[in-house]
Amino acid sequence: MPENPVIVVGGDHHNMLGVVRAVGKAGKKVKAIILEPGPQTYVSKSRYIVAWKQIRATDELIPCLLTMAEGEALKPVVICCHDGMAAMLNDNSKLLSEKLIIPGCEEEGRLNYLMDKLVMNELAVSCGLEVPQADSFPCIIKPRKSFAGEKQWIQICKNEDELEACRQMYGKDKLLAQRFIQSVAEYQLIGCSLPDGNVIIPGVSSILRPCKGSNTSFLRYSGPETIVDAAKVKDFVLKTGYHGLFSVEFVRDADGRDYFLEINFRNDGNAVCVTRAGVNLPLIWIFGVTGKDYKQEAAKTVKTVYVMPEFDELSLLTSHTISLGGYLSDLLKTNAGMEFDFRDQLPFWFQLKRRIIHKAKG
């Protein structure tokens, strides 16, 4: 019996690599569209990819997808690992839905609207989630839309002069300012929202070593009951009208109050932790949109795992941000890496070689 093909789209990043491996290990053939402006990609080295295309700008995505879908007996299922691509898919949903099954919202263009942090914050508050207000200093600034800004825009401003300088540099209307929360915990709820109205959140990833501008970090993944009640988050996701893989980010302050930061309408870079804990979210998405029974996969109990982003941790070690003892202690706890996989080693070694060459030239 023929099966729907699977097309994974995203950047040349461990985010996309994790999805490719999750789908490939489930016995499904993977096609890939990889956004990489440079000469080579490392995700394409995965043994689970049967066909792939490299693009150098997001505006190449739509024609590339339509070409890749040509001649298929069943509509390919698309999994997205990139913010800008996610918005582009939904902006072209009427055209794409004729030939593909895509994540996003039923209303064309709605996802772009929801990606504005002012909009998602307002919706989060209506669902009973708490959001940091712009009522004091220090404050943190960030792009209102992640794909329309840069990570270096994320800064802490101690006073009005510093805030105004950032507004002048990046554009006031492109920035969101919020009270900076001195967090004692950072965590994510990583899940899948299905067209049948079911929102699946198997557990929670706790960021054990936060990094500025990113939550790609050494982390622990465990059951949701260990940290937070996910009911409000599920209600929030349902009210967005979004279907697909997602993650919702929070911080907790010293008084135990949890603050909503944002929702990512695509697979999360840390989502490999869910797969390694025992639940295959990409497979649930594929089953859920092709009429197959996903409930057995969704009902699996997660085991607690520790996941390490190998190259990021090595950078912290070589820059003396963490000690050798701290690095080795974390390494001994680690159940899985974000890049290395015994059954799919070539991407790791290719990326390691590329990084060594880059460092030697730098």
Side-chain angles (χ1 to χ4, degrees), residues 54 63 80 88 118 142 165 184 216 249 306 316 325 327 341 355 360:
Q54 180 179 352
C80 186
M88 187 163 286
L118 287 178
K142 60 187 76 171
V184 297
T216 297
E249 301 177 12
Y306 289 82
L316 293 175
Y327 172 79
D341 189 294
R355 281 177 169 248

Side-chain angles (χ1 to χ4, degrees), residues 195-216:
D196 65 3
N198 198 3
V199 177
I200 298 161
I201 301 176
V204 60
S205 59
S206 303
I207 310 303
L208 301 180
R209 186 178 294 114
C211 300
K212 181 182 178 182
S214 172
N215 55 23
T216 297

Side-chain angles (χ1 to χ4, degrees), residues 209 312-324 327:
R209 186 178 294 114
D312 295 86
E313 288 293 298
L314 285 172
S315 295
L316 293 175
L317 175 63
T318 55
S319 65
H320 306 291
T321 304
I322 58 175
S323 67
L324 177 60
Y327 172 79

Side-chain angles (χ1 to χ4, degrees), residues 45-63:
K45 308 301 178 185
S46 173
R47 61 181 290 195
Y48 299 111
I49 294 178
V50 297
W52 63 281
K53 175 72 174 178
Q54 180 179 352
I55 61 174
R56 288 179 165 80
T58 54
D59 58 11
E60 299 176 47
L61 174 64
I62 304 306

Side-chain angles (χ1 to χ4, degrees), residues 4 13 18 48-49 71-72 79 95 118 121 138 144 155 158-159 199 212 221 229 234 279 303 334 337 353 361:
N4 299 73
H13 188 269
Y48 299 111
I49 294 178
E72 296 289 358
I79 301 175
L95 172 65
L118 287 178
N121 285 351
R144 277 180 57 173
Q155 297 181 34
K158 300 183 185 67
N159 51 53
V199 177
K212 181 182 178 182
Y221 188 79
D229 179 3
K234 291 183 178 181
V279 178
K303 62 189 179 212
T334 299
K353 177 183 176 182
K361 288 181 178 179

